[in-house]
Amino acid sequence: MAKAFTSKVVTANALLEGDAVWLTEDDRWTHDIAKAELLTDEAHADLRLIEAQMRQHEIAGAYLADAIETPDGPAPVHFREDFRTRGPSNYFHGKQTEA
Amino acid sequence: MYSYNDFDEAFVRERVSQFRGQVERRVDGSLTEDEFKPLRLMNGLYLQLHAYMLRVAIPYGTLNSGQMRQLAMIAERFDKGYGHFTTRQNIQYNWPKLPDVPDILGALADVEMHAIQTSGNTIRNVTADHFAGAAADEVADPRPYAELLRQWSTDHPEFQFLPRKFKIAVTGSVNDRAVIAAHDIGLQVVDRDGQRGFRVLVGGGLGRTPMIGKVISEFVSEADLLPYCEAIVSVWNLLGRRDNKYKSRIKITVHEHGIEDIRARVEERFAHVKPTFGGVDQVLLAEITEAFAPPVYRATSVAAYEAVRDANPAFRSWSDTNLSAHKVDDYAIVSVSLKKQGETPGDASADQMRVLADLAERFGHDELRISHEQNVILPHVAKGDLPQVYAALRDAGLATANIGLISDIIACPGMDYCALATARSIPIAQQIAVRFDELKLEHDVGPLKIKISGCINACGHHHVGHIGILGLDRAGVENYQVTLGGDGTQDAAIGERAGPGFSAEEIIPAIERLVFGYLDLRSEPEETFLQTFRRLGMEPFKAVLYPDKEGKRDAA
């Protein structure tokens, strides 16, 4: 049996600032992963990634990252993706200052 | 120090202007990221976890005060008020915005700096002993040779698409402070029978497959330096594995073909290359050497320095750890620690950079160096000026007396910034430094180099740390492997893996056990960690690192 699909979000770096962004259901880029579109179907996820990659004037390096559903919205699974939602641990810089 | 000639100036300005156009075309959508990426990398611009990162070359680690002030200005105007000095004598800005980068490169060009060939499969920033031109133990200042190599390798048409990156380091001293054995080419200036030349190592490197460089020639004369290096790079350029990124570095080529085979090929190639140089390189070298003439040293009162040393224990402690022998008796080399316990190794704020620039200008013959150990050096300070220098450093939070001690840790940016990292390095370095500061043990422990990398690429030089720490991702959790017995000096050695890795919570207590274990194991207080390890081998250190396992083994 094929391995069960792990839900995903489309993420990338914003073109001008270079910071982490996530794709929303209504085709915006958000700074908050909780507002991202959670992709539970593999074929749909692949399609959304292709659509994201076509938006070259807005972002760079789009990819699919594992995410889980929480009451607040999608949340990262891997610690790397978790760090991308916050910023570095040595200074109060990056996303953690936006909250 | 060397100043740009008209050619350098025009070349760097043209590259800035080209990149400005490239950024405009990227922003307006006419270039895709795939098209733009090689262009930005040629100019040192990476895309990391949270932002772009600009890596600026500090050739052979040498800066003047004007350049340091400009680095401070860039940090303040275009970044978040600080910069990160790296293990390859570069400075990295962690938060530039893409539209600002051409202006940053323009500001760098204003002070004869650039970010060219700080990335990509090219010959990277040529590094050198950070005590160059000042060290009591050196045969000659290695920087004129490093500058000659920089000019030769910058935009060298044959070497813009190498199998992989290529790194060269030069030392002018037998005591290797430039880790030459861990470079693709390592050069040691030597004099033989009254003739100046180089002992040449090839095929060293850290990363996934760490290797100590092998001697390809015991003596290459000064006049043959460029053609010989060109022959090496040229042989590898054709022979190097382009099919597999993990086997592409020259260390693998040397390993697979054997040093004798590579030596024969290089000598054959050298015979072709040598006549094409025609002596212009030697004319250049003479001009460059003149630019690196030593400063006109001043006489100061050493007695005043001695008096402050006797009266002020904090100053004495700092002068014991942070000063090194200068070739002129009444001078000292000052190492300014960027490793204050709890701070990020290698980071300096814009204010600190300006303090360092001012000190260099007032007391240091306008010279600064960046070390591969991520500290800043004032290479020429008259001993009589040391109390004033110390006071100014202390006021700027820069007088930490820990050079060469346990809290003088090398750490790469790790997963706090780097897109390639598999775990964080900085918090581990911070916690180790704070812990041993609390224990007030640093000075009892003595010389001990801890080096931390956040992935297998080993930017944190963990393989050559007396204690090396490698951060990995083990099933979605940060995990830290410990290696012991590495050495980055003239007695270079690759550290040996101690055993299973530790979690982020376990690694600090593990290092503490290791250090306390060493204190019990050493034969006398003068025996360093590395000497004790070499005398006793891995087993007793393993026993203190993994006490439970040892217990089980005893019980079995």
Side-chain angles (χ1 to χ4, degrees):
Chain A
M1 205 178 93
K3 204 176 152 196
F5 179 69
T6 312
S7 54
K8 303 271 192 286
V9 286
V10 173
T11 185
N13 289 74
L15 176 62
L16 300 184
E17 305 251 340
D19 59 331
V21 289
W22 293 267
L23 187 64
T24 64
E25 205 173 338
D26 58 351
D27 288 326
R28 288 175 302 108
W29 292 104
T30 174
H31 284 190
D32 180 3
I33 186 174
K35 298 195 173 82
E37 177 185 11
L38 189 73
L39 305 162
T40 53
D41 175 78
E42 189 167 5
H44 184 57
D46 290 343
L47 176 69
R48 292 296 280 159
L49 178 61
I50 290 166
E51 287 171 354
Q53 282 166 339
M54 290 173 72
R55 300 169 63 163
Q56 286 286 322
H57 56 295
E58 296 169 352
I59 52 99
Y63 62 95
L64 292 169
D66 288 353
I68 47 161
E69 190 163 14
T70 74
D72 297 328
V77 173
H78 192 276
F79 60 89
R80 182 185 195 271
E81 292 305 314
D82 187 34
F83 296 160
R84 290 180 75 241
T85 68
R86 290 205 306 269
S89 53
N90 61 331
Y91 297 114
F92 187 65
H93 288 160
K95 291 269 181 297
Q96 58 200 324
T97 65
E98 295 170 13
Chain B
M1 62 189 263
Y2 179 78
S3 281
Y4 278 8
N5 59 25
D6 293 347
F7 176 85
D8 297 318
E9 167 78 17
F11 170 71
V12 170
R13 294 285 176 192
E14 191 186 352
R15 281 291 288 267
V16 173
S17 148
Q18 286 169 350
F19 192 58
R20 193 176 293 280
Q22 290 156 1
V23 169
E24 279 166 15
R25 293 199 292 286
R26 176 69 185 100
V27 170
D28 74 17
S30 42
L31 286 177
T32 66
E33 185 59 18
D34 285 349
E35 290 163 334
F36 180 63
K37 188 176 174 183
L39 301 172
R40 67 169 161 78
L41 290 178
M42 281 171 70
N43 293 286
L45 187 65
Y46 287 73
L47 188 51
Q48 298 282 44
L49 283 186
H50 313 297
Y52 289 94
M53 179 273 280
L54 183 67
R55 179 182 293 157
V56 177
I58 300 171
Y60 34 90
T62 293
L63 289 171
N64 60 31
S65 61
Q67 292 172 323
M68 188 63 119
R69 284 198 191 96
Q70 191 78 333
L71 295 179
M73 185 284 286
I74 291 168
E76 229 153 40
R77 183 177 300 173
F78 300 106
D79 207 90
K80 293 189 187 291
Y82 74 101
H84 175 74
F85 291 105
T86 78
T87 54
R88 291 216 76 259
Q89 300 180 316
N90 297 306
I91 182 169
Q92 294 182 175
Y93 292 107
N94 286 323
W95 302 94
K97 295 179 175 60
L98 180 60
D100 289 339
V101 175
D103 288 342
I104 299 176
L105 295 179
L108 289 168
D110 290 344
V111 292
E112 306 187 350
M113 294 182 75
H114 62 69
I116 295 164
Q117 289 182 208
T118 60
S119 176
N121 295 334
T122 55
I123 300 177
R124 301 288 188 89
N125 187 31
V126 178
T127 55
D129 181 0
H130 43 271
F131 292 169
D137 58 11
E138 81 182 4
V139 170
D141 186 343
R143 292 174 303 157
Y145 306 111
E147 172 59 26
L148 185 68
L149 287 160
R150 185 192 72 80
Q151 295 193 13
W152 159 78
S153 61
T154 301
D155 215 30
H156 191 305
E158 191 181 331
F159 301 146
Q160 293 302 300
F161 296 94
L162 294 169
R164 197 82 174 82
K165 59 186 150 184
F166 198 88
K167 301 175 182 175
I168 303 176
V170 200
T171 173
S173 163
V174 174
N175 298 309
D176 179 13
R177 289 171 289 260
V179 210
I180 64 165
H183 282 77
D184 297 290
I185 291 179
L187 298 168
Q188 179 195 344
V189 184
V190 289
D191 281 338
R192 200 171 72 175
D193 305 327
Q195 203 197 354
R196 173 69 41 81
F198 303 87
R199 183 166 170 263
V200 183
L201 306 186
V202 71
L206 302 175
R208 183 175 298 262
T209 318
M211 301 252 187
I212 298 296
K214 297 169 182 71
V215 177
I216 186 166
S217 175
E218 282 293 346
F219 190 83
V220 169
S221 74
E222 191 178 80
D224 289 343
L225 175 65
L226 286 193
Y228 196 79
C229 287
E230 181 148 314
I232 293 174
V233 183
S234 172
V235 163
W236 168 66
N237 196 16
L238 288 178
L239 211 55
R241 297 273 300 266
R242 288 169 192 267
D243 61 314
N244 183 341
K245 160 175 173 171
Y246 301 124
K247 295 188 173 176
S248 54
R249 296 287 292 269
I250 195 171
K251 61 189 173 187
I252 306 292
T253 316
V254 171
H255 181 73
E256 287 183 347
H257 290 260
I259 185 70
E260 289 78 17
D261 177 77
I262 297 295
R263 186 182 294 122
R265 287 172 193 260
V266 166
E267 272 161 24
E268 194 188 336
R269 179 74 190 148
F270 173 77
H272 289 281
V273 166
K274 172 70 180 168
T276 67
F277 271 75
V280 65
D281 55 317
Q282 293 306 295
V283 176
L284 268 175
L285 179 62
E287 287 170 18
I288 293 167
T289 304
E290 220 165 283
F292 285 98
V296 180
Y297 297 110
R298 298 182 302 118
T300 56
S301 162
V302 178
Y305 156 70
E306 298 288 354
V308 180
R309 242 183 86 82
D310 290 343
N312 181 346
F315 176 70
R316 184 163 62 240
S317 166
W318 175 82
S319 56
D320 283 345
T321 48
N322 293 36
L323 301 184
S324 303
H326 195 281
K327 61 185 174 189
V328 174
D329 274 350
D330 293 351
Y331 269 69
I333 301 171
V334 175
S335 292
V336 179
S337 170
L338 295 183
K339 313 291 178 63
K340 189 175 181 179
Q341 293 87 357
E343 302 287 331
T344 304
D347 279 11
S349 69
D351 286 340
Q352 289 176 326
M353 291 183 213
R354 277 190 286 264
V355 167
L356 290 162
D358 290 347
L359 288 174
E361 197 170 44
R362 282 179 66 199
F363 301 110
H365 298 277
D366 209 30
E367 282 201 40
L368 292 150
R369 306 287 164 69
I370 305 305
S371 75
H372 81 269
E373 293 186 315
Q374 301 178 289
N375 292 312
V376 179
I377 318 295
L378 292 161
H380 309 291
V381 181
K383 283 184 179 162
D385 292 334
L386 286 168
Q388 275 178 280
V389 168
Y390 171 74
L393 290 173
R394 194 193 47 208
D395 292 346
L398 289 169
T400 311
N402 65 347
I403 295 295
L405 301 181
I406 194 168
S407 60
D408 184 9
I409 299 171
I410 287 187
C412 71
M415 208 188 268
D416 283 305
Y417 297 91
C418 179
L420 299 175
T422 44
R424 287 174 295 181
S425 319
I426 292 168
I428 305 301
Q430 289 171 314
Q431 289 169 51
I432 293 172
V434 166
R435 181 65 187 138
F436 283 91
D437 194 38
E438 285 165 357
L439 292 168
K440 297 288 164 224
L441 264 181
E442 284 209 80
H443 292 267
D444 291 333
V445 172
L448 176 52
K449 291 186 190 293
I450 298 185
K451 301 181 196 279
I452 310 176
S453 304
C455 84
I456 200 154
N457 294 311
C459 294
H461 293 186
H462 64 278
H463 296 297
V464 292
H466 303 165
I467 299 175
I469 301 175
L470 166 62
L472 294 169
D473 171 355
R474 282 278 175 265
V477 181
E478 287 169 294
N479 186 273
Y480 296 89
Q481 271 182 12
V482 174
T483 51
L484 298 176
D487 183 355
T489 70
Q490 60 283 0
D491 306 314
I494 302 295
E496 199 183 325
R497 198 179 138 191
F502 298 90
S503 70
E505 292 72 35
E506 291 166 344
I507 185 67
I508 311 300
I511 298 301
E512 203 175 314
R513 285 199 300 282
L514 197 53
V515 174
F516 276 104
Y518 149 69
L519 293 176
D520 290 339
L521 290 166
R522 68 184 177 186
S523 59
E524 52 177 356
E526 284 69 38
E527 190 182 54
T528 65
F529 181 92
L530 189 60
Q531 288 165 343
T532 306
F533 180 83
R534 285 186 173 161
R535 178 170 60 83
L536 296 174
M538 180 62 88
E539 282 314 310
F541 288 93
K542 219 169 169 169
V544 294
L545 255 183
Y546 304 99
D548 295 345
K549 216 168 187 176
E550 199 60 20
K552 275 175 210 155
R553 208 180 297 157
D554 287 349

